[in-house]
Amino acid sequence: MKTWILAGTLGVCALLANAQSLPDSQTVVIPGGRLQTIELPAHKHFMSAERFAPFRGGYELSNGQVLYLRNAGNIGALMYARIDDQDEHRIIATSSNSFVALDRQLAMRIDLRDDGSVGGEVLMQMPADKLASGDIVPAHVQSMALASR
């Protein structure tokens, strides 16, 4: 009996260890229920232009950059996001306050609070970079908090 329990326990531990072995460049682990990866949802969350309207505008990020959100269209909102003067990305809603770029370069959660303040975060895919020392920083996902609106 003890042998069966020990074998079962070791089997479960092996499965759990295997499930955690994702490549670092594909996953960002952030505790506390925050955004973790830039993934397209299996089903997008429909958001009308009217429901997207409160999100339009600029948001200062914790690193000093600014996230801009805009839309085009009146019925089903065609939504776009960009950071500073970078290229614009077409985004879709993944929930009532979360969005992801179709090219998987950005993901954001924007918490519009009743007192007018804003919270949330932005994930941005960063390309690999070569440092002056010759070291290479691999492609990774950078997380930035929303500082203000």
Side-chain angles (χ1 to χ4, degrees), residues 11-134:
V12 169
C13 290
L15 287 173
L16 291 174
N18 188 34
Q20 294 179 2
S21 61
L22 293 174
D24 290 340
S25 64
Q26 300 296 318
T27 303
V28 173
V29 178
I30 302 171
R34 296 177 155 194
L35 294 173
Q36 295 182 11
T37 59
I38 301 176
E39 297 290 333
L40 291 173
H43 304 284
K44 76 176 189 176
H45 179 85
F46 176 78
M47 183 171 287
S48 67
E50 181 179 274
R51 291 203 43 201
F52 182 70
F55 295 100
R56 288 189 309 226
Y59 299 87
E60 186 176 338
L61 301 176
S62 57
N63 68 353
Q65 293 180 301
V66 178
L67 168 71
Y68 296 98
L69 299 178
R70 72 172 188 90
N71 72 300
N74 293 325
I75 298 172
L78 295 176
M79 302 171 289
Y80 299 91
R82 69 178 166 86
I83 294 180
D84 287 340
D85 294 327
Q86 297 176 13
D87 291 338
E88 212 169 45
H89 303 271
R90 171 109 189 274
I91 60 173
I92 58 171
T94 58
S95 72
S96 62
N97 69 334
S98 296
F99 308 89
V100 66
L102 292 175
D103 62 6
R104 295 178 54 207
Q105 297 299 301
L106 290 173
M108 61 219 70
R109 187 191 80 246
I110 302 173
D111 303 321
L112 301 175
R113 300 182 183 126
D114 292 337
D115 65 0
S117 65
V118 178
E121 67 180 320
V122 173
L123 294 182
M124 182 168 68
Q125 181 67 42
M126 303 299 291
D129 193 20
K130 186 173 182 179
L131 301 176
S133 66

